[in-house]
Amino acid sequence: MEPNPVSPGMGGDQRVGLGSTRFSLPTLGQSLVWRSQCLARGHALPRPKLGPHLEFPAPLPAAARTFPRPGGAGRSRPALGARPGWAPPLELWPGGGRQGRGGGGCSPGRAGRPFHVCKRSRTPRPTRAAQAPHCVRATLLAAPMAFRGWRPPPPPLLLLLLWVTGQAAPVAGLGSDAELQIERRFVPDECPRTVRSGDFVRYHYVGTFPDGQKFDSSYDRDSTFNVFVGKGQLITGMDQALVGMCVNERRFVKIPPKLAYGSEGVSGVIPPNSVLHFDVLLMDIWNSEDQVQIHTYFKPPSCPRTIQVSDFVRYHYNGTFLDGTLFDSSHNRMKTYDTYVGIGWLIPGMDKGLLGMCVGEKRIITIPPFLAYGEDGDGKDIPGQASLVFDVALLDLHNPKDSISIENKVVPENCERISQSGDFLRYHYNGTLLDGTLFDSSYSRNRTFDTYIGQGYVIPGMDEGLLGVCIGEKRRIVVPPHLGYGEEGRGNIPGSAVLVFDIHVIDFHNPSDSISITSHYKPPDCSVLSKKGDYLKYHYNASLLDGTLLDSTWNLGKTYNIVLGSGQVVLGMDMGLREMCVGEKRTVIIPPHLGYGEAGVDGEVPGSAVLVFDIELLELVAGLPEGYMFIWNGEVSPNLFEEIDKDGNGEVLLEEMLQEKSCWKKHIKCRRRVQK
């Protein structure tokens, strides 16, 4: 490419075209002559440029005799062929900037410092000491300055040395050039994609001469070499050798001199006409046009809801690189990763990869680096320009705007009453997480959970979910964490967990309830009704509201006999037996505060249980009239009544009864006194 002539008024740009491996400077001499004149007159030197993608800083003043080399400012050497008026050589070292930046993103430097220059980057960047010889290294011995009385050396003395080294892997005879030898030493069983021209790759390599002497290795730097393929950033042989490789493939590449550094070599590193051997292992591959890749390998049969933007999720994951190396795992920490989706809490690729997942779904999300941690990595475990693979299992999903959801499983046909705020419920439940993990069960304790509802005795979601149930109903209540145990969780319930309760309502009542009596049969003659003091014989079946049988006189084959109103049965039963006629059949429902209370009967009647008695009255013996009645447990005097009736009026008055009652406490003495 013919350079444009430089004129003082045009800002000093001098552009020289780039060949495939060398520069040609047909008019660079006259340009530098003009520059030397500017220097002699005290003008600032303009900045020359070589080609549209390669820039060189301005040379140092002629007085300079040395220039810094990689490794520190204190190390220097004389300029090659330096004479009075010569600018020091300008060296451009391999690599396109810091490792992991793909050979680009260089920044302008100062004159006289070593620089990285990659063919596709516009601005050079200060080099590191430990860079692999894979990009373009250029050494320019600039033209002499034109001082008064001194003639510059002829243009042939100008030396432009350009060398390029690449990274590659082994495979035989796959290159486009017949002299390039490639041996495929290992090819993985699965190879979803191969390297194409324009792809970005990360790989390890060892570079040796045919005699086995090593001249370079990425392993020594403990860092992969990262570069674009097919864009002139590598020597020709390596550019060709990488094409068609799979991740985890290993190739041995033998590159002839004409596809490497030719007859010039690299001073102090690569002798002229050297055949180069590269043992290459490909670690990563991506393209700037790549998108997030999603592979779902398990999806539950039922998927009522999927992840949407702003949802909060809990998931487990294994994070690996493309070569399978594990860099992180939530399983190892035994704790899910909990986060919002789609609002910037995650890397962009993960935000996108999680959308549309169901609870229980498992998918593999592959993310290119520009949608992950980019050129810099995470500074710890993830290197720059690394593709990431996440194996994700979604455990939980909710949105902060969610309320509880209720799914009725079994609703009794006869539902005379539904629960209301203030009722006391007894119910069984299984408590699970959304993924089905059981965290609690009343069945395992063989005891119902008993509580008031609507009064804050349970979590808000359950307070709401237990309203409106029927006795015997089964329902599923899904409670989001903000209506459950929140971000902190409790016990074996993790923070921010959605809870699923499968409940079975056994019974409920209200503290204001009285007994309920339903008469199923009355005989035609039902004029004599039971009352307090009557002696009753009856059969019964006793059960809970859910139908569980507790006791039965029919099974025992004998009636139950009591004196009504004498405290021989619970208060609710005493009330339920009144005003019955012989032969009548009725059902009496007794709330626990009129039955066996919160304690129940150990091993027989649960605490706080509502009781159901199916009763049939078989016999009624009228009791004594209203008055005073007592039972004498000791020996009874034949004249007991007369002995109590002190005034002999044929009636026992209250005073006389109380007097006799005081004697009961001293039974023997009383008897003796009465006998006297």
Side-chain angles (χ1 to χ4, degrees):
M1 175 179 178
E2 198 67 19
N4 297 323
V6 179
S7 60
M10 297 301 293
D13 278 355
Q14 170 68 34
R15 296 189 176 273
V16 180
L18 286 176
S20 60
T21 55
R22 296 178 179 275
F23 300 110
S24 61
L25 305 174
T27 60
L28 184 59
Q30 70 183 78
S31 172
L32 293 178
V33 168
W34 173 80
R35 288 173 178 268
S36 66
Q37 293 173 350
C38 290
L39 181 66
R41 296 170 185 170
H43 297 305
L45 290 177
R47 183 176 184 178
K49 298 181 180 180
L50 291 180
H53 301 298
L54 186 62
E55 300 182 2
F56 286 80
L60 290 177
R65 291 294 185 270
T66 62
F67 71 101
R69 301 203 61 184
R75 299 174 59 188
S76 61
R77 64 176 174 85
L80 296 178
R83 298 184 183 180
W86 275 82
L90 185 65
E91 294 199 33
L92 292 98
W93 290 73
R98 55 181 290 183
Q99 280 287 345
R101 291 192 178 268
C106 302
S107 59
R110 294 188 298 276
R113 293 186 61 187
F115 281 70
H116 291 288
V117 176
C118 287
K119 287 187 178 181
R120 295 297 180 185
S121 59
R122 284 191 171 273
T123 53
R125 172 185 290 274
T127 188
R128 285 183 174 181
Q131 287 289 340
H134 290 217
C135 280
V136 178
R137 178 186 179 188
T139 302
L140 172 65
L141 302 183
M145 302 296 179
F147 289 98
R148 295 171 184 171
W150 180 79
R151 177 177 294 177
L157 292 180
L158 291 175
L159 173 62
L160 177 65
L161 175 60
L162 176 66
W163 61 266
V164 187
T165 62
Q167 322 154 15
V171 189
L174 299 180
S176 59
D177 195 290
E179 297 183 36
L180 179 66
Q181 298 182 26
I182 303 174
E183 176 189 349
R184 305 184 77 174
R185 293 192 172 179
F186 175 78
V187 180
D189 294 333
E190 296 184 5
C191 183
R193 75 183 288 181
T194 60
V195 177
R196 295 180 299 175
S197 180
D199 285 344
F200 190 93
V201 295
R202 295 172 50 245
Y203 62 91
H204 274 300
Y205 71 92
V206 176
T208 60
F209 297 117
D211 62 358
Q213 179 184 356
K214 182 172 68 174
F215 62 83
D216 193 19
S217 173
S218 65
Y219 296 99
D220 295 342
R221 293 185 292 275
D222 195 27
S223 175
T224 58
F225 189 72
N226 309 335
V227 70
F228 282 100
V229 176
K231 293 190 176 183
Q233 297 180 356
L234 299 168
I235 57 175
T236 304
M238 189 59 76
D239 248 347
Q240 296 179 14
L242 289 172
V243 174
M245 283 193 76
C246 309
V247 171
N248 283 329
E249 182 177 345
R250 186 182 175 198
R251 291 186 176 185
F252 181 79
V253 184
K254 184 178 180 180
I255 304 178
K258 73 173 186 178
L259 300 178
Y261 303 109
S263 60
E264 295 185 2
V266 178
S267 177
V269 181
I270 308 292
N273 297 313
S274 293
V275 175
L276 304 181
H277 294 180
F278 285 93
D279 190 348
V280 182
L281 178 63
L282 186 64
M283 311 296 289
D284 199 345
I285 172 176
W286 56 271
N287 192 284
S288 58
E289 297 180 357
D290 286 349
Q291 297 296 323
V292 174
Q293 300 177 34
I294 297 173
H295 169 61
T296 297
Y297 62 92
F298 176 78
K299 196 164 187 175
S302 175
C303 183
R305 176 177 183 176
T306 61
I307 296 177
Q308 304 296 323
V309 172
S310 80
D311 282 346
F312 191 91
V313 296
R314 296 174 49 247
Y315 62 91
H316 272 302
Y317 70 91
N318 285 325
T320 63
F321 302 122
L322 273 188
D323 67 339
T325 302
L326 183 73
F327 63 82
D328 191 19
S329 174
S330 64
H331 298 280
N332 293 345
R333 295 188 293 273
M334 299 183 68
K335 188 178 188 302
T336 57
Y337 191 78
D338 307 338
T339 183
Y340 286 96
V341 177
I343 62 173
W345 284 32
L346 296 166
I347 56 176
M350 201 63 172
D351 258 344
K352 184 175 181 180
L354 290 172
L355 292 176
M357 283 192 77
C358 307
V359 171
E361 182 177 340
K362 297 179 180 180
R363 63 170 54 172
I364 294 175
I365 304 171
T366 304
I367 305 174
F370 52 86
L371 295 176
Y373 293 96
E375 298 179 352
D376 297 325
D378 70 344
K380 297 181 294 183
D381 303 314
I382 300 175
Q385 302 290 25
S387 301
L388 306 181
V389 181
F390 291 93
D391 191 339
V392 178
L394 184 62
L395 303 185
D396 202 334
L397 157 67
H398 78 276
N399 192 283
K401 298 179 181 179
D402 287 349
S403 59
I404 67 167
S405 67
I406 296 174
E407 178 184 355
N408 292 320
K409 299 290 188 177
V410 176
V411 179
E413 294 182 3
N414 184 18
C415 183
E416 298 178 355
R417 175 179 178 179
I418 61 174
S419 59
Q420 298 178 351
S421 180
D423 285 348
F424 190 91
L425 266 71
R426 295 175 55 247
Y427 61 94
H428 274 300
Y429 70 90
N430 283 325
T432 62
L433 306 179
L434 268 187
D435 66 342
T437 302
L438 183 72
F439 62 81
D440 193 17
S441 174
S442 64
Y443 296 100
S444 64
R445 295 187 292 273
N446 197 28
R447 190 179 189 282
T448 58
F449 188 79
D450 308 338
T451 184
Y452 287 97
I453 61 170
Q455 298 185 352
Y457 284 86
V458 291
I459 57 176
M462 283 300 279
D463 245 350
E464 183 180 352
L466 290 171
L467 294 174
V469 296
C470 303
I471 293 171
E473 182 175 340
K474 296 181 180 179
R475 67 167 48 175
R476 171 170 289 181
I477 305 171
V478 181
V479 182
H482 50 276
L483 297 176
Y485 292 101
E487 296 181 359
E488 301 301 324
R490 176 181 295 182
N492 57 348
I493 299 175
S496 300
V498 177
L499 308 180
V500 180
F501 292 94
D502 288 303
I503 68 162
H504 180 199
V505 180
I506 304 302
D507 73 32
F508 65 83
H509 71 278
N510 193 283
S512 62
D513 287 349
S514 184
I515 65 169
S516 169
I517 300 175
T518 303
S519 182
H520 303 293
Y521 173 76
K522 284 186 177 183
D525 182 11
C526 191
S527 57
V528 179
L529 302 179
S530 60
K531 62 183 184 301
K532 182 179 179 181
D534 288 349
Y535 182 76
L536 305 181
K537 292 184 179 181
Y538 60 94
H539 273 305
Y540 70 86
N541 283 329
S543 62
L544 302 178
L545 275 182
D546 65 346
T548 302
L549 185 66
L550 300 176
D551 191 18
S552 174
T553 57
W554 278 291
N555 292 342
L556 297 175
K558 61 179 182 180
T559 60
Y560 196 75
N561 310 327
I562 67 164
V563 175
L564 195 58
S566 63
Q568 293 176 282
V569 291
V570 295
L571 181 57
M573 191 64 170
D574 203 309
M575 297 167 62
L577 287 169
R578 299 195 182 196
E579 298 185 355
M580 283 189 75
C581 59
V582 174
E584 183 177 347
K585 297 178 182 179
R586 63 171 52 174
T587 297
V588 181
I589 299 176
I590 304 174
H593 51 275
L594 298 175
Y596 292 99
E598 296 181 2
V601 178
D602 189 27
E604 297 183 35
V605 180
S608 300
V610 178
L611 304 179
V612 180
F613 287 91
D614 292 312
I615 303 169
E616 181 180 2
L617 184 59
L618 301 180
E619 186 177 341
L620 183 156
V621 178
L624 298 175
E626 291 293 331
Y628 304 100
M629 182 182 72
F630 64 91
I631 299 174
W632 191 268
N633 293 319
E635 295 179 9
V636 181
S637 170
N639 302 315
L640 181 60
F641 185 81
E642 290 78 5
E643 293 174 358
I644 297 176
D645 183 16
K646 302 300 181 183
D647 57 6
N649 62 353
E651 294 180 358
V652 177
L653 301 178
L654 178 59
E655 292 79 6
E656 295 171 322
M657 189 67 175
L658 293 176
Q659 182 182 1
E660 188 63 26
K661 183 178 180 180
S662 67
C663 292
W664 295 346
K665 297 180 181 179
K666 304 174 183 177
H667 183 52
I668 298 176
K669 293 182 180 179
C670 247
R671 283 177 57 202
R672 289 175 182 172
R673 181 174 60 82
V674 171
Q675 289 175 355
K676 292 180 180 179

